[in-house]
Structure formats: structure tokens, C-alpha cells
Amino acid sequence: MAHSSAPGAAPGALSRLEGALKLRYLGIGFIWAWIYGSYETFAVYPERTGVGINADDSWIISATAVVVTMFATGLLLGRRPAVPHRQLALASSIAAAAGTVLSALPALGSYYVPVLFASGLLTGFGTGSLYVLWGQALGRLDAESAEVAIPSASLVTFAGALVLPYLPGLAGVTATATLPLLSGLLLWLTYRDPAVIWEEIDPRDRSNARRVSGESTRDGRSEIVSALLPAPIVRISALAFLSYFTVGCCGALQQGADDPFTVLGLDLPTLIGSLGGIVLMACFVLFAARPRFDSLFRLIAPLVVGSAALLPWADLRAVFLSATLVSLADIMLTIATVLFVTDAARRGPVNAAAGVGITQGSLQLGVLLGNITGSAASPLAAASPTGLFSVALGLTAFFALAWLLYPAERDRHEGGARRGTAAPKPVGPISELPIGSTAEATAEGGRESTLETACNALAESHGLSGREREILGYLARGRSQPYIREELVLSRNTVASHVKHIYQKLDVHSRQELLDLFE
């Protein structure tokens, strides 16, 4: 859905941001902030000896429950019609908040083990389900809103890094337990937003999308598997697992992991990572001609390798830099997986709930196994003078497998044209609508001819460039900016600049005014 500018104002960046971003869409950021508050500060576990995510016994239970919940919820919701799951959202929010409170309770004698398991299961189920539900909801937003909302949600984590480390005791527990409740509330408001379209995509559209991309049709069961687990989702999941296994292992092995919290009293690695991730993701979305996950991963991979390379050094500067690289890679990879999965769901072949559940479940599985492996290897690495160097080298080699599992994707439109599997699609809608008779084809052709003549006349009389004339043709046919970006292989910023210049030269201030020129 396109957002038109207010009358009297050019469609600049500020007006587009105002139309695309709503605070309710940032609810997934409260889950990210909860993870930070629960496992990287002393807010919930004031008596533990470290701040690493594996410093408390309940973490492994919660992490296991998150993995199972994400996989199961994603696959279950992926096979059902896309409707708001209000009851599940409410139950997940309450479960995560209750589990957080239980996690903060001191040892209760013989009740310690049941409380430990209850807190881990509740937080794992609650946050895992909320995560998948948010992925499903974000997949129903228009592209402009999603591309703004998902990176901006990291601002919630940034705000948490400024506040949560200073809230120990009851205040810290209350603040952290409130985060999933706020996430659930914002999800409920998103469900009520008329801009979120919940109509289920026709299965025939999914089949058509697969045929266009060169995939063959299959029988019923294979069709379901292909829709829930398409090849791009499997590859992204493999990358997420490898990346977070490496990061988790480094975190468990890193010496002096608490030191960054003593720098100026602030959690600077998380602050720098949050802001840096937002800025880099915003630049990628704005200026990349064809945003693809493999392109973005080329920026993330050196961050992961750098954190592993710094593993053998225990001085404060090395630990601080390693933690900053990990935080930056974490933010970027988390945003990227959600952004690309929801974008794929918007195009049709991918189910958002299943895609987010599988990719984020793989991510969490990497964290879990990486921390377990790092903890088990820590005594062995410490026993040898070159132990940490050997581990760092091994992790780097292990992470290099990512490039074998995820080869660079070819552009579908360009690759299809080169291979002869799909012809380029003409600009006009005549190529997209089923023509049932010669009379309909003639009428459609006449409309196309009229639009072409009007576009040429406006371009000549108002001094439009060749590219602006081309984009005007799309706008005259009601195409959105994301559609134009995809068809012309241009960056978001480039298309927005051309549209702004078209509005200025034609002296119009909204999409409706532009369309009125062709009446």
C-alpha cells in the first residue's frame, strides 16, 4: 500500500517516514530488549557471578524452549490461514512476564528445581511465540512500512541499554517483565490496524509465483513443504545457525566478559552495536539497488570473523572490541533475517510465520549449541598455551562453511532472462491481466496507448529526463515505489528522488493529483 504525501508538501523523506512508521509496529523490539535485560544485565539475576547469557541455570531451559517453540509455532501457524491470533498473543505475553518474575526469585529450598523449570519454560514459550506472531504480522505490512519499522525496532534495545543496567532489584525485574507485556499490547494494536491486510494469499498465486521463479510444481504434500521451507529460507537459516554458533562459542570462551560493563558505567558495546546496526541497515535499504541477503551477509561475516580472531586476547580493549563486533553482527543479522523473510512473504511464495519461526529458531539453536560447546571447551583451551588460538582458528574455519552453504544469489529477473526461463515483464498491466477476448485485448491496448501518449506529452512539456519519464509511466498505472524499485533494479533512495523530482516538475503534491492528470 502506498502512502501519499500531505497536500502542499513534496513526497520527501520526512513525510514518507511519518506515513510508514507507527510506534505500534516497533513491538518486536521489546522482545529484543527483553533478551538483553534478562541475560546481559543484572536486572533479573542479581546474584549470579557473570552477565553472559549462560550464567544462570534457567538459561539453558529457556533457550531450549525458545528453539522448540519457534520451530513448532512457525510450522503450525504456517499451515493455517493468516488471521490474527489474539489469544495466543495474550497468553504468550503473560507467560513471558510470569516466567521473568519466577526467574528473579531467590532459591526456595526444595522448590528451586520446579521454579527453575517453570521460569525457563514460560519465558521460552512466551517470547518464542511472540516472536513468530510478530513475524506473521510484519509480513502483512506494506513494504514501505516494514522496511522502516523493522530496523527502527532496534531503538528499543538501544533505550534498554541506557536504562536496564541501572535497575537492579525489584525495579529491574519489574521493568524487564513489563517488556513482553508491552510487546503483546502493541501486537494487539497492530492486529486492529486497518493498514495490516490479513487476507490469505490464494494457493494458486503461490503456484504461479513458483512457476515464474522457475520452480516446478509438485504434489500436495511437496507443495506444502515447498511453501513452508523454500530454499532461500533454508539457506538463511543455515547462515544464522553458523553465525550464532560461532558468536555463542566466543562468548562462552571470552575471558573478562564482564569488563565492558565497567566502561563509563554504560554498556557501550550494545549501545554502539544497536546504533551502528540501525545506521548500516538503513543505508543498505536506502541505497542498495537490489537488497539481497547474500549481499548484506558480506558485511556481517567480517564482524563474526573479527570477534573470533580477538578471542585469544584477554585485555579490556580486545574484549570491548569483540563485544562491540558481536553486538553489531547480532543486530544486523537479526534485523536482516526478519526483514528478508517478511519481504519474501509479501511477494507470495513464503509464509511469514513459518519463515520467521525457522530462521529465528535456527538462530537460537546456534546460540544454545555454541554456548554449550564453548563452555565444554573452555577447560581444554585453558590447559594449553595455544588453546585459545587453536579454538579461534577452528571457529574461523567452521564459519567459512557459510559461503559453501549459501552461494551468492543471482537476480531472478536478470538470471531468468539469461537462462530463458522467464521473459522480462512489460511495464503496463496488459501483460498481467488475463485477456478473455479480442475485444478486451483491444480495449486494454487502447488504454495503454492513451497512457503512453499522455506520459510522453507530460515528459516533453515539463522537461522530464528519460528515467523520470519511465517512472512516470509506472506511477500513471498506479504502481508503488517498491514495485518500481523491483522492476527497474534501483535503490529505494534513487526511486524516491526521481518521484520527488517528478512531483516538483509536474507541480503536484500527492499521488491522487498526479493520477488526475491522466483523467
Side-chain angles (χ1 to χ4, degrees):
M1 183 183 68
H3 298 277
S4 60
S5 302
L14 184 60
S15 61
R16 292 197 307 274
L17 179 64
E18 180 183 3
L21 178 61
K22 296 180 180 178
L23 292 180
R24 71 190 63 178
Y25 298 160
L26 306 184
I28 194 172
F30 286 90
I31 303 176
W32 300 338
W34 178 89
I35 296 172
Y36 169 77
S38 294
Y39 298 116
E40 297 187 37
T41 73
F42 293 102
V44 178
Y45 304 105
E47 298 180 356
R48 66 186 182 188
T49 58
V51 294
I53 54 178
N54 57 349
D56 187 86
D57 292 338
S58 68
W59 174 80
I60 192 170
I61 302 172
S62 180
T64 303
V66 162
V67 173
V68 174
T69 299
M70 284 183 166
F71 283 135
T73 306
L75 292 175
L76 288 175
L77 297 186
R79 299 188 63 175
R80 299 183 60 186
V83 296
H85 297 276
R86 294 182 173 86
Q87 291 78 12
L88 181 58
L90 178 62
S92 301
S93 302
I94 295 175
T100 304
V101 173
L102 287 177
S103 299
L105 294 178
L108 300 176
S110 60
Y111 296 99
Y112 173 71
V113 174
V115 169
L116 187 73
F117 273 89
S119 64
L121 292 176
L122 287 173
T123 55
F125 163 75
T127 56
S129 298
L130 272 179
Y131 214 129
V132 174
L133 291 173
W134 266 113
Q136 183 188 47
L138 292 170
R140 294 288 161 170
L141 295 180
D142 61 276
E144 295 288 326
S145 296
E147 288 178 353
V148 173
I150 295 173
S152 299
S154 293
L155 289 171
V156 182
T157 304
F158 176 78
L162 289 174
V163 176
L164 291 174
Y166 300 100
L167 296 177
L170 182 60
V173 174
T174 302
T176 306
T178 302
L179 294 173
L181 296 177
L182 291 174
S183 180
L185 174 62
L186 294 177
L187 181 59
W188 190 280
L189 294 176
T190 301
Y191 285 154
R192 297 173 59 88
D193 192 332
V196 182
I197 308 302
W198 288 98
E199 283 80 0
E200 177 68 3
I201 298 175
D202 193 314
R204 290 172 296 181
D205 294 337
R206 296 188 186 275
S207 299
N208 291 336
R210 284 193 293 273
R211 282 196 294 269
V212 169
S213 64
E215 297 180 31
S216 60
T217 56
R218 303 170 177 86
D219 56 31
R221 179 172 298 180
S222 298
E223 288 274 348
I224 295 175
V225 173
S226 177
L228 296 181
L229 294 174
I233 298 301
V234 175
R235 291 197 293 266
I236 291 175
S237 300
L239 273 187
F241 173 81
L242 288 172
S243 301
Y244 275 86
F245 180 90
T246 304
V247 168
C249 196
C250 289
L253 287 165
Q254 186 73 62
Q255 301 179 27
D258 301 344
D259 291 337
F261 276 85
T262 66
V263 179
L264 301 179
L266 292 173
D267 183 7
L268 292 183
T270 300
L271 294 177
I272 297 173
S274 298
L275 283 182
I278 294 171
V279 171
L280 290 176
M281 288 301 301
C283 292
F284 186 77
V285 170
L286 287 173
F287 300 110
R290 180 62 63 87
R292 296 197 307 259
F293 190 85
D294 65 302
S295 300
L296 181 59
F297 192 73
R298 293 191 182 97
L299 301 177
I300 299 175
L303 303 176
V304 179
V305 173
S307 65
L310 290 169
L311 182 62
W313 284 269
D315 66 282
L316 177 60
R317 288 170 296 182
V319 173
F320 179 80
L321 179 57
S322 177
T324 302
L325 293 178
V326 166
S327 180
L328 185 57
D330 179 21
I331 291 292
M332 292 184 65
L333 192 55
T334 300
I335 293 174
T337 51
V338 177
L339 190 63
F340 280 90
V341 168
T342 54
D343 179 70
R346 206 172 293 111
R347 300 172 189 274
V350 175
N351 181 280
V356 170
I358 296 301
T359 56
Q360 297 303 313
S362 300
L363 183 154
Q364 295 296 331
L365 182 61
V367 174
L368 174 62
L369 296 182
N371 271 266
I372 293 175
T373 302
S375 298
S378 183
L380 299 177
S384 172
T386 60
L388 285 177
F389 285 95
S390 300
V391 172
L393 181 62
L395 287 175
T396 303
F398 175 78
F399 183 70
L401 291 174
W403 300 112
L404 299 177
L405 292 173
Y406 198 92
E409 289 185 342
R410 298 293 183 186
D411 180 85
R412 285 188 175 184
H413 291 280
E414 296 176 358
R418 283 193 298 269
R419 293 188 302 269
T421 57
K425 185 165 54 178
V427 172
I430 188 172
S431 64
E432 302 169 16
L433 298 176
I435 305 296
S437 65
T438 304
E440 292 177 358
T442 302
E444 191 64 37
R447 179 175 178 272
E448 278 295 297
S449 178
T450 301
L451 279 177
E452 287 293 321
T453 302
C455 287
N456 290 332
L458 286 172
E460 183 176 355
S461 62
H462 292 81
L464 270 62
S465 67
R467 179 65 82 181
E468 289 168 353
R469 157 63 186 87
E470 188 176 15
I471 292 177
L472 176 63
Y474 283 97
L475 295 175
R477 295 169 175 85
R479 300 306 185 197
S480 65
Q481 290 191 33
Y483 181 93
I484 298 173
R485 288 163 46 199
E486 180 70 19
E487 290 298 306
L488 298 183
V489 196
L490 298 174
S491 72
R492 174 179 179 149
N493 189 62
T494 299
V495 172
S497 296
H498 283 312
V499 172
K500 179 180 179 180
H501 294 156
I502 292 171
Y503 275 48
Q504 290 174 342
K505 292 180 179 180
L506 299 184
D507 193 24
V508 297
H509 307 94
S510 68
R511 167 164 291 193
Q512 188 57 51
E513 288 186 25
L514 186 143
L515 293 176
D516 289 342
L517 298 177
F518 298 91
E519 292 296 329

